Coordinates of all heavy atoms in Angstrom, one line a residue:
T271 N 56.4 -36.5 14.9 CA 56.4 -37.8 15.6 C 56.5 -37.6 17.1 O 56.9 -36.6 17.6 CB 57.6 -38.7 15.2 OG1 58.7 -38.1 15.6 CG2 57.5 -39.0 13.7
E272 N 56.0 -38.6 17.7 CA 56.1 -38.6 19.3 C 56.4 -40.0 19.6 O 55.8 -41.0 19.2 CB 54.7 -38.2 19.9 CG 54.6 -38.5 21.3 CD 55.6 -37.7 22.2 OE1 55.7 -36.5 22.1 OE2 56.3 -38.4 23.1
I273 N 57.6 -40.2 20.4 CA 58.1 -41.5 20.7 C 57.1 -42.2 21.7 O 57.0 -43.5 21.8 CB 59.4 -41.4 21.3 CG1 60.2 -42.8 21.3 CG2 59.5 -40.9 22.7 CD1 61.6 -42.8 21.4
R274 N 56.3 -41.5 22.5 CA 55.3 -42.1 23.4 C 54.0 -42.3 22.8 O 53.2 -41.4 22.5 CB 55.2 -41.2 24.6 CG 56.5 -41.1 25.4 CD 56.4 -40.0 26.5 NE 56.2 -38.7 25.8 CZ 55.9 -37.6 26.4 NH1 55.9 -37.6 27.7 NH2 55.8 -36.4 25.8
P275 N 53.6 -43.6 22.5 CA 52.4 -43.8 21.8 C 51.1 -43.2 22.5 O 50.2 -42.8 21.9 CB 52.2 -45.4 21.7 CG 53.7 -45.8 21.8 CD 54.4 -44.8 22.7
D276 N 51.1 -43.3 23.8 CA 50.0 -42.7 24.6 C 49.8 -41.2 24.4 O 48.7 -40.7 24.3 CB 50.1 -43.0 26.1 CG 51.4 -42.5 26.7 OD1 52.4 -42.5 26.1 OD2 51.4 -42.2 27.9
Q277 N 51.0 -40.5 24.3 CA 50.9 -39.1 24.1 C 50.5 -38.8 22.7 O 49.7 -37.8 22.5 CB 52.3 -38.4 24.4 CG 52.3 -36.9 24.4 CD 51.5 -36.4 25.4 OE1 51.3 -36.9 26.5 NE2 51.0 -35.1 25.2
A278 N 51.0 -39.5 21.7 CA 50.6 -39.3 20.3 C 49.0 -39.5 20.2 O 48.3 -38.7 19.5 CB 51.3 -40.3 19.4
A279 N 48.5 -40.6 20.9 CA 47.0 -40.8 20.9 C 46.3 -39.7 21.5 O 45.2 -39.2 21.0 CB 46.7 -42.1 21.5
L280 N 46.8 -39.2 22.6 CA 46.1 -38.0 23.3 C 46.1 -36.8 22.4 O 45.0 -36.2 22.3 CB 46.9 -37.7 24.6 CG 46.3 -36.6 25.5 CD1 45.0 -37.2 26.1 CD2 47.3 -36.3 26.6
V281 N 47.2 -36.4 21.7 CA 47.2 -35.3 20.9 C 46.3 -35.5 19.7 O 45.5 -34.6 19.3 CB 48.6 -34.9 20.4 CG1 48.6 -33.8 19.4 CG2 49.5 -34.6 21.6
N282 N 46.3 -36.7 19.1 CA 45.4 -36.9 17.9 C 44.0 -36.8 18.4 O 43.1 -36.3 17.6 CB 45.8 -38.2 17.3 CG 47.0 -38.1 16.5 OD1 47.3 -37.1 15.8 ND2 47.8 -39.2 16.5
A283 N 43.6 -37.3 19.5 CA 42.3 -37.3 20.0 C 41.8 -35.8 20.2 O 40.7 -35.4 19.9 CB 42.0 -38.1 21.3
R284 N 42.7 -35.0 20.7 CA 42.4 -33.6 20.9 C 42.3 -32.8 19.6 O 41.4 -32.1 19.4 CB 43.5 -33.0 21.8 CG 43.2 -31.5 22.1 CD 42.1 -31.5 23.1 NE 41.8 -30.1 23.5 CZ 40.7 -29.5 23.6 NH1 39.6 -30.1 23.3 NH2 40.6 -28.2 23.9
L285 N 43.1 -33.2 18.7 CA 42.9 -32.6 17.3 C 41.6 -33.0 16.7 O 40.9 -32.1 16.0 CB 44.1 -33.1 16.4 CG 45.5 -32.5 16.6 CD1 46.6 -33.3 15.8 CD2 45.6 -31.0 16.3
H286 N 41.2 -34.2 16.9 CA 39.9 -34.7 16.4 C 38.7 -33.8 17.1 O 37.8 -33.4 16.5 CB 39.7 -36.2 16.6 CG 38.4 -36.7 16.2 ND1 38.1 -36.8 14.8 CD2 37.3 -37.0 16.8 CE1 36.8 -37.3 14.8 NE2 36.3 -37.5 15.9
E287 N 38.8 -33.7 18.4 CA 37.8 -33.0 19.2 C 37.7 -31.6 18.7 O 36.5 -31.0 18.6 CB 38.2 -33.0 20.7 CG 38.0 -34.2 21.4 CD 38.7 -34.1 22.8 OE1 38.9 -33.0 23.3 OE2 38.8 -35.2 23.4
L288 N 38.8 -31.0 18.3 CA 38.8 -29.6 17.8 C 38.5 -29.4 16.4 O 38.4 -28.3 15.7 CB 40.2 -29.0 18.1 CG 40.6 -28.8 19.5 CD1 42.0 -28.4 19.7 CD2 39.7 -27.7 20.3
G289 N 38.3 -30.6 15.7 CA 38.0 -30.6 14.2 C 39.2 -30.2 13.4 O 39.0 -29.8 12.2
L290 N 40.4 -30.5 13.9 CA 41.6 -30.2 13.3 C 42.4 -31.4 12.7 O 43.5 -31.2 12.2 CB 42.6 -29.4 14.1 CG 42.0 -28.1 14.6 CD1 42.9 -27.4 15.6 CD2 41.7 -27.1 13.5
D291 N 41.8 -32.6 12.9 CA 42.5 -33.8 12.5 C 42.8 -33.9 11.0 O 43.6 -34.7 10.6 CB 41.8 -35.0 13.1 CG 40.4 -35.0 12.8 OD1 39.7 -34.1 12.6 OD2 39.8 -36.2 12.7
H292 N 42.0 -33.2 10.2 CA 42.3 -33.2 8.7 C 43.5 -32.3 8.4 O 44.1 -32.4 7.3 CB 41.1 -32.7 7.9 CG 40.7 -31.3 8.2 ND1 40.1 -30.9 9.4 CD2 40.9 -30.2 7.4 CE1 40.0 -29.6 9.3 NE2 40.4 -29.1 8.1
L293 N 44.0 -31.6 9.4 CA 45.1 -30.5 9.2 C 46.4 -31.1 9.7 O 47.5 -30.7 9.2 CB 44.9 -29.3 9.7 CG 43.7 -28.5 9.2 CD1 43.4 -27.1 9.9 CD2 43.9 -28.2 7.7
A294 N 46.4 -32.0 10.7 CA 47.6 -32.4 11.4 C 47.3 -33.8 12.0 O 46.3 -34.3 12.3 CB 47.9 -31.5 12.6
E295 N 48.5 -34.5 12.1 CA 48.5 -35.8 12.7 C 49.8 -36.1 13.4 O 50.9 -35.7 12.9 CB 48.3 -36.9 11.6 CG 48.3 -38.3 12.2 CD 48.1 -39.4 11.1 OE1 48.0 -39.0 9.9 OE2 48.1 -40.5 11.4
V296 N 49.8 -36.6 14.5 CA 51.0 -37.0 15.3 C 51.2 -38.5 15.2 O 50.3 -39.3 15.5 CB 50.9 -36.6 16.8 CG1 52.1 -37.0 17.5 CG2 50.7 -35.1 16.9
H297 N 52.3 -38.9 14.7 CA 52.7 -40.3 14.5 C 53.5 -40.8 15.7 O 54.4 -40.1 16.1 CB 53.5 -40.5 13.2 CG 52.9 -40.1 12.0 ND1 52.1 -41.0 11.3 CD2 52.8 -39.0 11.3 CE1 51.6 -40.4 10.3 NE2 52.0 -39.2 10.2
A298 N 53.2 -41.9 16.2 CA 53.9 -42.6 17.3 C 55.0 -43.3 16.7 O 54.9 -44.4 16.1 CB 53.0 -43.6 18.1
A299 N 56.2 -42.7 16.9 CA 57.4 -43.3 16.2 C 58.6 -42.6 16.7 O 58.6 -41.4 17.3 CB 57.4 -43.1 14.7
D300 N 59.8 -43.2 16.5 CA 61.1 -42.5 16.8 C 61.4 -41.7 15.6 O 61.5 -42.2 14.5 CB 62.2 -43.7 17.0 CG 63.5 -43.1 17.3 OD1 63.8 -41.9 17.1 OD2 64.4 -43.8 17.7
A301 N 61.5 -40.4 15.7 CA 61.8 -39.5 14.6 C 63.0 -39.8 13.8 O 63.0 -39.6 12.6 CB 61.9 -38.1 15.2
A302 N 64.0 -40.4 14.5 CA 65.3 -40.7 13.8 C 65.1 -41.9 12.7 O 65.8 -42.0 11.8 CB 66.3 -41.0 14.8
A303 N 64.0 -42.7 13.0 CA 63.9 -43.9 12.2 C 62.6 -43.8 11.4 O 62.2 -44.7 10.7 CB 63.8 -45.2 13.0
F304 N 61.9 -42.6 11.4 CA 60.6 -42.5 10.9 C 60.7 -42.3 9.3 O 61.6 -41.6 8.9 CB 59.8 -41.3 11.5 CG 58.5 -41.1 11.1 CD1 57.5 -42.1 11.5 CD2 58.0 -40.1 10.4 CE1 56.2 -42.0 11.1 CE2 56.7 -39.9 10.0 CZ 55.8 -40.8 10.3
D305 N 59.8 -42.8 8.6 CA 59.7 -42.6 7.1 C 59.0 -41.3 6.8 O 57.8 -41.4 6.4 CB 59.1 -43.9 6.4 CG 59.1 -43.8 4.9 OD1 59.6 -42.7 4.4 OD2 58.7 -44.8 4.3
W306 N 59.6 -40.2 6.9 CA 59.1 -38.9 6.7 C 58.4 -38.8 5.3 O 57.4 -38.2 5.1 CB 60.0 -37.9 7.0 CG 60.4 -37.7 8.4 CD1 61.5 -38.4 9.0 CD2 59.7 -37.1 9.4 NE1 61.5 -38.0 10.4 CE2 60.4 -37.2 10.6 CE3 58.5 -36.3 9.4 CZ2 60.0 -36.7 11.8 CZ3 58.2 -35.7 10.6 CH2 58.8 -35.9 11.8
A307 N 59.2 -39.3 4.3 CA 58.7 -39.1 2.9 C 57.4 -39.8 2.6 O 56.5 -39.2 2.0 CB 59.7 -39.6 2.0
S308 N 57.2 -40.9 3.2 CA 55.9 -41.6 3.0 C 54.8 -41.0 3.8 O 53.7 -40.8 3.3 CB 56.0 -43.1 3.5 OG 56.8 -43.8 2.7
A309 N 55.1 -40.5 5.0 CA 54.1 -39.9 5.8 C 53.6 -38.6 5.1 O 52.4 -38.3 5.1 CB 54.7 -39.6 7.2
V310 N 54.5 -37.8 4.6 CA 54.2 -36.6 4.0 C 53.3 -36.8 2.7 O 52.4 -36.2 2.4 CB 55.4 -35.7 3.8 CG1 55.0 -34.5 2.9 CG2 55.9 -35.2 5.1
S311 N 53.8 -37.7 1.9 CA 53.1 -38.0 0.6 C 51.7 -38.6 0.9 O 50.8 -38.4 0.0 CB 53.9 -39.0 -0.2 OG 54.0 -40.3 0.4
D312 N 51.5 -39.2 2.0 CA 50.2 -39.7 2.3 C 49.2 -38.6 2.6 O 48.0 -38.7 2.4 CB 50.2 -40.6 3.6 CG 50.8 -42.0 3.3 OD1 51.0 -42.4 2.1 OD2 51.1 -42.7 4.3
V313 N 49.7 -37.5 3.1 CA 48.9 -36.4 3.5 C 48.8 -35.3 2.3 O 47.7 -34.9 2.0 CB 49.5 -35.6 4.7 CG1 48.7 -34.3 5.0 CG2 49.6 -36.5 5.9
S314 N 49.9 -35.1 1.6 CA 49.8 -34.1 0.6 C 50.9 -34.5 -0.5 O 52.0 -34.7 -0.2 CB 50.2 -32.7 1.1 OG 50.4 -31.8 0.1
P315 N 50.4 -34.5 -1.8 CA 51.4 -34.8 -2.8 C 52.4 -33.7 -3.0 O 53.4 -33.9 -3.7 CB 50.5 -34.9 -4.1 CG 49.2 -34.2 -3.7 CD 49.1 -34.3 -2.2
T316 N 52.1 -32.5 -2.5 CA 53.1 -31.4 -2.7 C 54.0 -31.2 -1.5 O 54.8 -30.3 -1.5 CB 52.3 -30.1 -3.0 OG1 51.5 -29.8 -1.8 CG2 51.6 -30.2 -4.2
G317 N 53.8 -32.0 -0.4 CA 54.7 -31.9 0.7 C 54.0 -31.3 1.9 O 52.8 -31.0 1.9
A318 N 54.7 -31.3 3.0 CA 54.1 -30.8 4.3 C 54.1 -29.3 4.3 O 55.0 -28.6 3.7 CB 55.0 -31.3 5.5
Q319 N 53.2 -28.7 4.9 CA 53.0 -27.3 5.2 C 54.0 -26.8 6.3 O 54.5 -25.8 6.2 CB 51.6 -26.9 5.4 CG 50.6 -27.1 4.3 CD 50.8 -26.1 3.2 OE1 51.0 -24.9 3.4 NE2 50.6 -26.6 1.9
A320 N 54.1 -27.7 7.3 CA 54.9 -27.3 8.4 C 55.2 -28.6 9.2 O 54.5 -29.6 9.2 CB 54.1 -26.4 9.3
V321 N 56.3 -28.6 9.8 CA 56.7 -29.7 10.7 C 57.1 -29.0 12.0 O 58.0 -28.1 12.1 CB 57.9 -30.5 10.2 CG1 58.4 -31.5 11.2 CG2 57.6 -31.2 8.9
I322 N 56.5 -29.4 13.1 CA 56.7 -28.8 14.4 C 57.6 -29.8 15.3 O 57.1 -30.9 15.4 CB 55.4 -28.4 15.2 CG1 54.6 -27.5 14.3 CG2 55.6 -27.9 16.6 CD1 53.2 -27.2 14.7
T323 N 58.7 -29.3 15.8 CA 59.5 -30.1 16.6 C 59.8 -29.6 17.9 O 59.7 -28.3 18.1 CB 60.9 -30.5 15.9 OG1 61.6 -29.3 15.8 CG2 60.6 -31.0 14.5
C324 N 60.1 -30.5 18.9 CA 60.5 -30.0 20.1 C 61.6 -31.1 20.6 O 61.3 -32.2 21.0 CB 59.4 -30.0 21.2 SG 59.9 -29.6 22.8
P325 N 62.9 -30.7 20.4 CA 63.9 -31.7 20.6 C 64.1 -32.0 22.1 O 63.8 -31.1 22.9 CB 65.2 -31.0 20.0 CG 64.8 -29.6 20.1 CD 63.4 -29.4 19.9
P326 N 64.5 -33.1 22.4 CA 64.8 -33.4 23.8 C 66.0 -32.6 24.2 O 66.9 -32.3 23.4 CB 65.1 -35.0 23.8 CG 65.5 -35.3 22.4 CD 64.8 -34.3 21.5
Y327 N 66.1 -32.2 25.5 CA 67.2 -31.4 26.0 C 68.0 -32.2 26.9 O 68.4 -31.8 28.0 CB 66.6 -30.2 26.7 CG 65.8 -29.3 25.7 CD1 64.4 -29.4 25.7 CD2 66.5 -28.5 24.9 CE1 63.7 -28.6 24.9 CE2 65.7 -27.7 24.0 CZ 64.3 -27.8 24.0 OH 63.6 -27.0 23.1
W328 N 68.5 -33.4 26.4 CA 69.2 -34.4 27.1 C 68.7 -34.5 28.6 O 67.8 -35.2 28.7 CB 70.7 -34.0 27.1 CG 71.6 -35.1 27.8 CD1 71.4 -36.4 27.6 CD2 72.6 -34.9 28.7 NE1 72.3 -37.1 28.5 CE2 73.0 -36.1 29.2 CE3 73.2 -33.8 29.2 CZ2 74.0 -36.3 30.1 CZ3 74.2 -33.9 30.1 CH2 74.6 -35.3 30.6
N329 N 69.4 -34.1 29.5 CA 69.0 -34.5 30.9 C 68.1 -33.4 31.6 O 67.9 -33.6 32.8 CB 70.3 -34.7 31.7 CG 71.1 -33.4 31.9 OD1 70.8 -32.4 31.3 ND2 72.2 -33.5 32.7
L330 N 67.6 -32.5 30.9 CA 66.7 -31.5 31.6 C 65.4 -32.1 31.9 O 64.7 -31.7 32.8 CB 66.6 -30.2 30.8 CG 67.9 -29.5 30.6 CD1 67.6 -28.2 29.8 CD2 68.4 -29.1 32.0
E331 N 64.8 -33.0 31.1 CA 63.5 -33.6 31.2 C 63.6 -35.1 30.8 O 64.1 -35.3 29.6 CB 62.5 -32.8 30.5 CG 61.1 -33.4 30.7 CD 60.0 -32.6 30.0 OE1 60.4 -31.4 29.5 OE2 58.9 -33.0 30.0
R332 N 63.1 -36.0 31.5 CA 63.1 -37.4 31.1 C 61.6 -37.6 30.6 O 60.7 -37.5 31.3 CB 63.4 -38.3 32.3 CG 63.5 -39.7 31.8 CD 64.0 -40.6 32.8 NE 64.2 -41.9 32.3 CZ 65.3 -42.5 32.4 NH1 66.3 -42.0 33.0 NH2 65.4 -43.8 31.9
Y333 N 61.6 -38.0 29.3 CA 60.3 -38.1 28.6 C 59.7 -39.4 28.8 O 58.5 -39.7 28.9 CB 60.5 -37.9 27.1 CG 60.7 -36.5 26.8 CD1 62.0 -36.1 26.5 CD2 59.7 -35.5 26.7 CE1 62.3 -34.7 26.3 CE2 60.0 -34.2 26.5 CZ 61.3 -33.8 26.2 OH 61.6 -32.5 26.0
S334 N 60.6 -40.6 28.7 CA 60.0 -41.9 28.9 C 61.2 -42.8 29.2 O 62.3 -42.4 29.2 CB 59.3 -42.3 27.6 OG 60.3 -42.6 26.6
D335 N 60.9 -44.1 29.4 CA 61.9 -45.1 29.5 C 62.2 -45.9 28.2 O 62.8 -46.9 28.2 CB 61.5 -46.2 30.7 CG 61.6 -45.5 32.0 OD1 62.4 -44.5 32.2 OD2 60.7 -45.9 32.9
L336 N 61.6 -45.5 27.1 CA 61.6 -46.2 25.8 C 63.0 -46.1 25.3 O 63.7 -45.0 25.3 CB 60.6 -45.5 24.9 CG 59.2 -45.6 25.3 CD1 58.3 -44.8 24.3 CD2 58.7 -47.1 25.2
S337 N 63.5 -47.2 24.6 CA 64.8 -47.1 23.9 C 64.6 -46.3 22.7 O 63.5 -46.1 22.2 CB 65.1 -48.5 23.5 OG 64.3 -49.1 22.5
G338 N 65.6 -45.5 22.4 CA 65.5 -44.5 21.3 C 65.1 -43.2 21.8 O 65.2 -42.1 21.0
D339 N 64.6 -43.0 23.1 CA 64.3 -41.7 23.6 C 65.6 -41.1 24.0 O 66.3 -41.6 25.0 CB 63.4 -41.9 24.9 CG 63.0 -40.7 25.5 OD1 63.6 -39.7 25.3 OD2 62.0 -40.7 26.2
L340 N 66.0 -40.0 23.4 CA 67.3 -39.4 23.6 C 67.4 -38.8 25.0 O 68.5 -38.6 25.5 CB 67.6 -38.3 22.6 CG 67.9 -38.9 21.2 CD1 68.0 -37.7 20.2 CD2 69.1 -39.8 21.2
S341 N 66.3 -38.6 25.7 CA 66.5 -38.1 27.1 C 67.0 -39.1 28.0 O 67.4 -38.7 29.2 CB 65.1 -37.6 27.6 OG 64.2 -38.7 27.8
N342 N 67.2 -40.3 27.5 CA 67.8 -41.4 28.3 C 69.3 -41.6 28.1 O 69.9 -42.4 28.7 CB 67.1 -42.7 28.0 CG 65.7 -42.8 28.4 OD1 65.3 -42.2 29.6 ND2 64.8 -43.3 27.6
A343 N 69.8 -40.8 27.2 CA 71.3 -40.9 26.9 C 72.1 -40.7 28.2 O 71.9 -39.8 28.9 CB 71.7 -40.0 25.9
P344 N 73.1 -41.5 28.4 CA 73.8 -41.5 29.7 C 74.8 -40.3 29.7 O 75.2 -39.9 30.7 CB 74.5 -42.8 29.7 CG 74.6 -43.4 28.3 CD 73.5 -42.8 27.7
S345 N 75.1 -39.8 28.5 CA 76.0 -38.6 28.5 C 75.6 -37.6 27.4 O 74.9 -38.1 26.4 CB 77.5 -39.0 28.3 OG 77.7 -39.6 27.0
Y346 N 76.1 -36.4 27.4 CA 75.8 -35.5 26.4 C 76.5 -35.9 25.1 O 75.9 -35.7 24.1 CB 76.4 -34.1 26.8 CG 76.0 -33.0 25.8 CD1 74.6 -32.6 25.8 CD2 76.9 -32.5 24.9 CE1 74.2 -31.6 24.8 CE2 76.5 -31.6 23.9 CZ 75.2 -31.2 24.0 OH 74.8 -30.3 23.0
D347 N 77.7 -36.5 25.2 CA 78.3 -37.0 23.9 C 77.4 -38.1 23.2 O 77.3 -38.1 22.0 CB 79.7 -37.6 24.2 CG 80.7 -36.5 24.5 OD1 80.4 -35.3 24.1 OD2 81.7 -36.8 25.2
E348 N 76.8 -39.0 24.0 CA 76.0 -40.0 23.4 C 74.6 -39.3 22.9 O 74.1 -39.9 21.9 CB 75.7 -41.1 24.3 CG 76.9 -42.0 24.5 CD 76.8 -43.2 25.4 OE1 75.8 -44.0 25.1 OE2 77.5 -43.3 26.4
F349 N 74.2 -38.3 23.5 CA 73.0 -37.6 23.1 C 73.2 -37.1 21.8 O 72.4 -37.2 20.9 CB 72.6 -36.5 24.1 CG 71.6 -35.6 23.7 CD1 70.3 -35.9 23.7 CD2 71.9 -34.3 23.2 CE1 69.3 -35.0 23.3 CE2 71.0 -33.4 22.9 CZ 69.6 -33.8 22.9

């Protein structure tokens, strides 16, 4: 998942250009609230081959102003 819809669309477009869109898809969603079971079962009845993640590093990089974006947490404890 990618919390920023524009970034998810960009990655999906690039996967399509490379002919890899049948192998991978980026969903625009908050990973904490995402229905992973449904997304995986839509792609493969046997489950995902891989899940690639890059967690936010609290205050090292601000990803967006979206609510749910953990890079906006005001303290490490809230992160």
Side-chain angles (χ1 to χ4, degrees):
T271 64
E272 167 59 53
I273 199 163
R274 299 169 295 175
D276 57 326
Q277 187 65 29
L280 183 70
V281 172
N282 285 325
R284 186 68 177 133
L285 287 168
H286 180 74
E287 289 172 14
L288 294 170
L290 300 173
D291 50 332
H292 66 288
L293 298 174
E295 179 181 4
V296 176
H297 297 272
D300 181 344
F304 188 66
D305 184 355
W306 290 95
S308 292
V310 170
S311 67
D312 288 347
V313 175
S314 169
T316 59
Q319 297 284 326
V321 175
I322 301 169
T323 66
C324 180
Y327 299 99
W328 181 47
N329 65 353
L330 295 180
E331 182 176 350
R332 188 172 184 124
Y333 293 98
S334 73
D335 292 328
L336 299 170
S337 66
D339 181 341
L340 291 177
S341 70
N342 295 317
S345 70
Y346 186 75
D347 288 339
E348 290 185 52
F349 168 76

